Amino acid sequence: MTSRPGSGVATVRAELVASRVVGAYQHLTLLAPEVADLARPGQFVALAVGGPTSATLLRRCFSIHRVTPDAREGGSGSGTVELVVADAGPGSRWLTQVPVQGEVDLIGPLGKPFPLPTEAVGCVLVGGGYGSAPLFWLAELLRERGCGVEIVLGAASRDRLFGAPQTSDDERASHGVTVTTDDGSQGVKGWVSDVLPEVMARADAQVVYACGPMAMLRSVSELAAAHGAVAQVAVEEAMACGVGVCMTCVMPVRSSDGTTKMVRSCVEGPTFRGDRVRWDAFVDGHAVVPADAVGAPVAAGGGGH
Ligand SMILES: Cc1cc2nc3c(=O)[nH]c(=O)nc-3n(C[C@H](O)[C@H](O)[C@H](O)COP(=O)(O)OP(=O)(O)OC[C@H]3O[C@@H](n4cnc5c(N)ncnc54)[C@H](O)[C@@H]3O)c2cc1C
Ligand code: FES
């Protein structure tokens, strides 16, 4: 293990201690006590993929599903970090196939965690697909602070839901969880945005936390604003380095002074206030630079260089 003192980030060769299929995903448990001790909900890790001789040089980023901090075990070196990985391409597929007791090179925790309310307020947590992975851990911390918590989970189909009740017993025990699927294979047929206004009203929501696809985050942010709640969203803008060096992950975000700046979602995010993100600047899920952003290129004849 290596870590820069005071940096709050560790680089570890983490042993995979468990790997199991959960619906369409692989749930990985990695032995990484240094990362487990530092991590908070909303943060992520960057994993090397493909093995030591791979030509796939860029790390792949994954939200931290939950941790078992080492301190709970008396500092015995048994702290773990859990991830939920969808097979989206070569890097994530490699990860889903790492054998138990194999090693993965991991940097984390990265990014800013979800801010927690200072008072006991109503909170709604919204997850799309594997985006629900960090929300259950967040829910535990919010409940410890006395917050009321309702959860909304959505996905295209039943197998792409993560954390939804699987059996009728689970369903009876899952008070406060609303499920939607696009195809109606579980829960309400439709999108999370169809049920969110009712859930926010029932929860008297003052904060709505969300993680999932950009289009979902946009509609959650708009619905939260209409309800008078603050949205806190975790974006999954494509990232290459994950540590603020490469600028791959820039996206337009409004500052408190009203100006729009292109910020790196890996270090300034991945969590942002939903009403600060310039959703109008996303085209097919990718951010373009708005003309009014600080430092935006000026069109020929527009007075720039
Ligand atoms: C902060 C953050 C948290 C994430 N959390 C999770 C998670 O918990 N579980 C999970 O399965 N995935 C998560 N992702 C997405 C994951 O990083 C990508 O799916 C993965 O990097 C794809 O790598 P690949 O080599 O398998 O596929 P590639 O060949 O690189 O890409 C395959 C497909 O995935 C798309 N893709 C690539 N990178 C991203 C990205 N960063 N975000 C969205 N789509 C992407 C590509 O456009 C392509 O369609 C997260 C991404 C970020 C930035
Ligand atoms: S991913 Fe490299 S700067 Fe954010």
Side-chain angles (χ1 to χ4, degrees):
M1 191 282 296
T2 55
S3 70
R4 279 182 292 125
S7 69
V9 177
T11 305
V12 291
R13 289 203 58 79
E15 183 190 337
L16 185 69
V17 291
S19 179
R20 64 189 173 91
V21 174
V22 179
Y25 308 115
Q26 196 78 18
H27 178 168
L28 309 181
T29 306
L30 292 145
L31 193 61
E34 306 81 357
V35 182
D37 274 354
L38 297 168
R40 300 283 176 275
Q43 291 187 294
F44 64 96
V45 290
L47 306 184
V49 293
T53 57
S54 173
T56 311
L57 298 179
L58 297 177
R59 287 174 181 270
R60 302 297 196 261
C61 297
F62 296 89
S63 301
I64 301 174
H65 166 42
R66 62 168 69 245
V67 296
T68 303
D70 201 37
R72 267 193 219 164
E73 311 291 334
S76 58
S78 55
T80 56
V81 172
E82 294 171 47
L83 311 176
V84 175
V85 176
D87 175 352
S92 49
R93 185 165 317 131
W94 181 85
L95 283 170
T96 63
Q97 292 168 358
V98 173
V100 171
Q101 294 183 336
E103 278 193 340
V104 180
D105 195 294
L106 178 157
I107 299 179
L110 298 172
K112 293 199 171 135
F114 281 118
L116 301 178
T118 48
E119 288 172 22
V121 295
C123 299
V124 175
L125 281 48
V126 188
Y130 58 71
S132 43
L135 299 183
F136 302 96
W137 178 26
L138 173 66
E140 281 168 26
L141 297 194
L142 291 169
R143 287 192 186 109
E144 279 170 16
R145 292 178 163 236
C147 295
V149 174
E150 289 253 0
I151 298 178
V152 180
L153 304 175
S157 53
R158 182 186 175 91
D159 64 325
R160 305 202 79 79
L161 286 166
F162 180 79
Q166 293 299 308
T167 63
S168 46
D169 277 355
D170 286 353
E171 256 165 41
R172 275 192 290 277
S174 67
H175 172 71
V177 179
T178 306
V179 172
T180 68
T181 47
D182 299 1
D183 66 359
S185 50
Q186 188 168 341
V188 177
K189 186 174 191 310
W191 292 346
V192 292
S193 48
D194 296 332
V195 299
L196 190 54
E198 190 188 324
V199 176
M200 286 189 299
R202 189 167 67 218
D204 191 17
Q206 305 212 13
V207 190
V208 180
Y209 294 93
C211 184
M214 287 306 227
M216 187 200 94
L217 299 183
R218 178 181 189 160
S219 61
V220 169
S221 300
E222 289 167 355
L223 289 168
H227 176 78
V230 174
Q232 297 285 356
V233 301
V235 303
E236 288 175 358
E237 186 65 7
M239 294 181 187
C241 73
V243 294
V245 175
C246 71
M247 309 300 276
T248 308
C249 64
V250 291
M251 55 180 265
V253 174
R254 244 184 240 106
S255 309
S256 49
D257 64 6
T259 56
T260 295
K261 295 184 178 138
M262 298 301 290
V263 304
R264 295 161 300 174
S265 52
C266 64
V267 288
E268 273 95 352
T271 58
F272 292 102
R273 267 181 63 142
D275 59 353
R276 295 275 172 86
V277 177
R278 286 286 300 268
W279 301 109
D280 58 308
F282 285 84
V283 179
D284 295 333
H286 298 288
V288 295
V289 186
D292 59 344
V294 174
V298 178
H305 296 287

